Amino acid sequence: MTAASSAEKATRPLMTSAPTPLAYIGERPITRAAFLADVQALAARLPAARAAFNLCQDRYHFAVAFAALLLRGQTSLLPPNRGRTTLAEIASQHPDAHALVDGPDAEIDVPILRVSASGEAGVAASPIPEIPADQTAVLAFSSGSTGAPTAHARSWGALDAVTRQAVACFELQQGPGPVLVGTVPPQHMYGLESTLLYALLGHASVLAERPFYPADVRAALSAHAPAVLVTTPFHLGACLRAGLDWPRPQRILCATAPLPPETAAQAERVFGCRLDEIYGCTEAGAIATRRTTAETDWTAYPGVQVFGTDAGRVRAQGPQHPEPVPLPDHIEARDPHHFRMEGRLADQLNIAGKRASLADLNRRLNAIPGVLDGVFIPPAQAADGAGIARLAALVVAPRRSSAEIQAELAQCMDPLFLPRPLVRVDHLPRSATGKLPRQVLLDLLARHGECA
Amino acid sequence: MASQTAFEQEVARLIVDSLNLEDIAPEDIEPEDALFREGLGLDSIDALELALAISRAYGVQIRSDDENNRQIFASLRALSAHIEANRAAS
């Protein structure tokens, strides 16, 4: 008997039994029991498979799809962008995958199931389901520094662990709980953790809509109090520049790129609440936080440790990581619980909060039929104040037009990484060793600008 | 080539200036052509940037749940018409 019970698999509940509604669709609250009824109804319709794309844009639809896949033991595939080539590449790795969608325009060649749940399927009377802790809940994708896209698996137990750490840090583990007003998509690890899992596993509510323009964010904050604004430096900057009067949220959470302390101070002043940044990456998920107006160093989530290695890469490990995870940034560990982020590793790009590997982008450019040689050129520095600095590209492709090359690139990368400008040249100024010195590329780019 | 109205010229200048489209002249934007993807190739970052510029210049707040948000940004002509209509209403 003892042996049998110790061999029994550990499980974690699908959600907490918090009194907080699981979600709001507009201003209509959806109870956890009504959500569970939607989840069970969708789970019963899912085809047999090991994995599925969750491409739902509405955050409530995404939540129902995510939970239904968990119930059926299927893994959610979270693609880094919606390019046709990107989706096809991931699909080829998961031959039996289907896709859950709620919009019109997913260009994907797998069986499609539409999600239209709206909290009106009834009220589930069953107890909250338990999910095996070692079940692979999601696969998120990053472009590794080698240039090959890498899948990062998260078990349900790992997602449960990181969410417990975060809700303890951000005071979301009890009480009535705020509405999570998120400008980030749930397919991103940060968006998944902080706009869905805080509600599922803590005391907070998902907001079905995804506010985008500053006026949307203001409307959502006006309709929901208390609220936590979950955003990025890019979106926060846009809200601050919009010059609107803002309702006071309970807190602002910000991630995807470091926020300048001056912007953090301005945000706390304008919104009248504290701002906490989260440090995370696709590889490790969220692992640390800081109140940017008060501290420069990051404090690891409770239970997470950071440590340096011989190779200079800092690794992190918490209960959510089966083994230490190398972090994709240049980091100096102060002690096991504190670190300073000094910058990105040379190959890593971050444009408006989206990460990519330069090697991966170059590989994709050179894989386009008719492109004989080509190279992306990162912007010198993030443009100050307004505007986002973009990549440029020099391409040798005598038989392909710029528009054709742009169209091919758009199928395999986020639009943010499309080159501006894309300049066609006769040949790249490679050195004797085949290298492309940055200054030589910049000179060539500037010369072209003068001729244009 | 369809010609731009006086107000479309003004909005075209705003688009080029606010998005730093160095290699495009305002008068080259075809009034009926798509602004996003296959046309000028603008993306969501540009949409947000452009919304900020429009709110500063004309006091018109763009919203996602505006009737036909896609329609508003469909072309220079559609965008100019939306701004004019909402500026007049306020």
Side-chain angles (χ1 to χ4, degrees):
Chain A
M1 284 306 284
T2 331
S5 60
S6 68
E8 206 173 282
K9 272 193 172 177
T11 63
R12 304 298 311 160
L14 173 70
M15 64 180 163
T16 56
S17 54
T20 325
L22 190 282
Y24 283 86
I25 299 175
E27 297 187 25
R28 181 164 60 92
I30 310 296
T31 66
R32 285 167 193 257
F35 169 70
L36 187 53
D38 274 340
V39 170
Q40 289 169 334
L42 178 61
R45 288 168 54 211
L46 294 181
R50 277 166 298 178
F53 291 86
N54 188 346
L55 300 175
C56 294
Q57 312 239 25
D58 173 288
R59 213 179 298 269
Y60 183 71
H61 294 160
F62 181 92
V64 170
F66 176 83
L69 291 169
L70 272 180
L71 272 194
R72 288 286 303 271
Q74 301 183 12
T75 298
S76 289
L77 303 171
L78 305 179
N81 60 67
R82 283 164 189 259
R84 182 189 258 283
T85 308
T86 303
L87 296 178
E89 271 179 10
I90 298 173
S92 73
Q93 302 291 317
H94 302 274
D96 70 347
H98 56 100
L100 296 166
V101 304
D102 63 351
D105 50 358
E107 286 189 273
I108 187 167
D109 197 17
V110 301
I112 287 205
L113 197 64
R114 297 214 155 262
V115 180
S116 58
S118 60
E120 288 161 338
V123 174
S126 51
I128 292 174
E130 291 282 327
I131 308 295
D134 63 358
Q135 178 180 319
T136 302
V138 302
L139 279 183
F141 297 85
S142 69
S143 55
S145 49
T146 57
T150 317
H152 303 277
R154 291 286 141 66
S155 69
W156 182 238
L159 292 179
D160 179 75
V162 66
T163 307
R164 284 160 177 279
Q165 294 158 9
V167 299
C169 287
F170 305 129
E171 299 170 313
L172 298 170
Q173 74 276 53
Q174 56 190 19
V179 175
L180 303 166
V181 174
T183 64
V184 281
Q187 280 85 2
H188 187 287
M189 275 313 292
Y190 167 52
L192 176 74
E193 290 175 353
S194 51
T195 68
L196 171 55
L197 297 181
Y198 293 0
L200 215 47
L201 301 173
H203 288 226
S205 305
V206 170
L207 181 64
E209 294 79 22
R210 187 180 142 203
F212 180 76
Y213 298 104
D216 299 337
V217 176
R218 184 177 58 172
L221 291 177
S222 303
H224 298 284
V228 169
L229 174 58
V230 180
T231 190
T232 64
F234 167 66
H235 254 106
L236 185 63
C239 288
L240 292 173
R241 284 193 285 139
L244 302 172
D245 289 325
W246 293 95
R248 181 191 297 242
Q250 188 177 85
R251 187 190 295 264
I252 299 171
L253 295 176
C254 187
T256 67
L259 191 65
E262 307 76 47
T263 313
Q266 189 192 357
E268 291 200 348
R269 205 167 53 242
V270 169
F271 285 91
C273 69
R274 70 178 286 167
L275 179 149
D276 294 278
E277 272 189 282
I278 297 171
Y279 176 87
C281 51
T282 307
E283 291 82 350
I287 57 161
T289 182
R290 68 174 177 181
R291 184 172 181 188
T292 317
T293 52
E295 54 199 352
T296 307
D297 288 350
W298 298 85
T299 302
Y301 278 176
V304 175
Q305 297 202 8
V306 289
F307 44 91
T309 60
D310 296 343
R313 285 286 284 275
V314 165
R315 291 165 186 257
Q317 186 167 29
Q320 63 267 46
H321 308 117
E323 53 192 37
V325 182
L327 301 176
D329 289 305
H330 180 41
I331 278 170
E332 187 190 325
R334 300 289 202 199
D335 63 49
H337 304 289
H338 298 89
F339 62 88
R340 181 165 295 196
M341 185 191 157
E342 306 282 5
R344 293 189 298 278
L345 296 177
D347 176 62
Q348 293 289 309
L349 303 170
N350 187 323
I351 295 193
K354 277 255 180 194
R355 283 174 186 266
S357 138
L358 189 57
D360 182 52
L361 296 184
N362 283 332
R363 185 178 64 84
R364 290 181 178 282
L365 173 60
N366 284 282
I368 294 173
V371 170
L372 307 181
D373 202 356
V375 63
F376 275 92
I377 307 169
Q381 271 301 317
D384 42 44
I388 296 288
R390 304 285 188 140
L391 301 171
L394 294 172
V395 183
V396 183
R399 292 168 190 281
R400 303 298 302 267
S401 72
S402 296
E404 287 170 353
I405 298 169
Q406 293 278 17
E408 295 252 15
L409 290 174
Q411 299 200 345
C412 61
M413 61 184 61
D414 192 278
L416 296 179
F417 300 117
L418 296 179
R420 286 186 190 175
L422 184 158
V423 176
R424 292 162 74 248
V425 292
D426 294 337
H427 59 89
L428 293 184
R430 290 191 181 276
S431 70
T433 55
K435 292 210 165 87
L436 291 165
R438 178 174 166 81
Q439 194 53 51
V440 177
L441 293 177
L442 291 177
D443 291 347
L444 185 56
L445 205 56
R447 264 207 309 283
H448 172 84
E450 285 160 19
C451 304
Chain B
M1 170 166 179
S3 64
Q4 298 172 354
T5 66
F7 188 62
E8 284 167 1
Q9 282 174 25
E10 191 179 317
V11 175
R13 163 69 54 194
L14 183 81
I15 292 173
V16 168
D17 287 351
S18 63
L19 303 181
N20 301 316
L21 301 176
E22 287 160 18
D23 44 2
I24 293 167
E27 57 272 22
D28 290 346
I29 300 180
E30 288 282 346
E32 305 277 358
D33 275 6
L35 290 175
F36 288 78
R37 297 312 286 270
E38 63 278 1
L40 276 188
L42 306 187
D43 58 29
S44 65
I45 298 289
D46 298 313
L48 193 49
E49 205 60 57
L50 200 48
L52 283 175
I54 290 166
S55 116
R56 268 198 303 270
Y58 304 108
V60 175
Q61 297 291 340
I62 305 278
R63 290 270 304 266
S64 294
D65 52 2
D66 281 335
E67 203 67 19
N68 298 323
N69 183 262
R70 269 167 194 270
Q71 203 59 44
I72 294 172
F73 281 118
S75 64
L76 173 62
R77 184 143 292 166
L79 182 61
S80 303
H82 176 79
I83 296 171
E84 245 176 342
N86 287 274
R87 188 168 62 155
S90 61

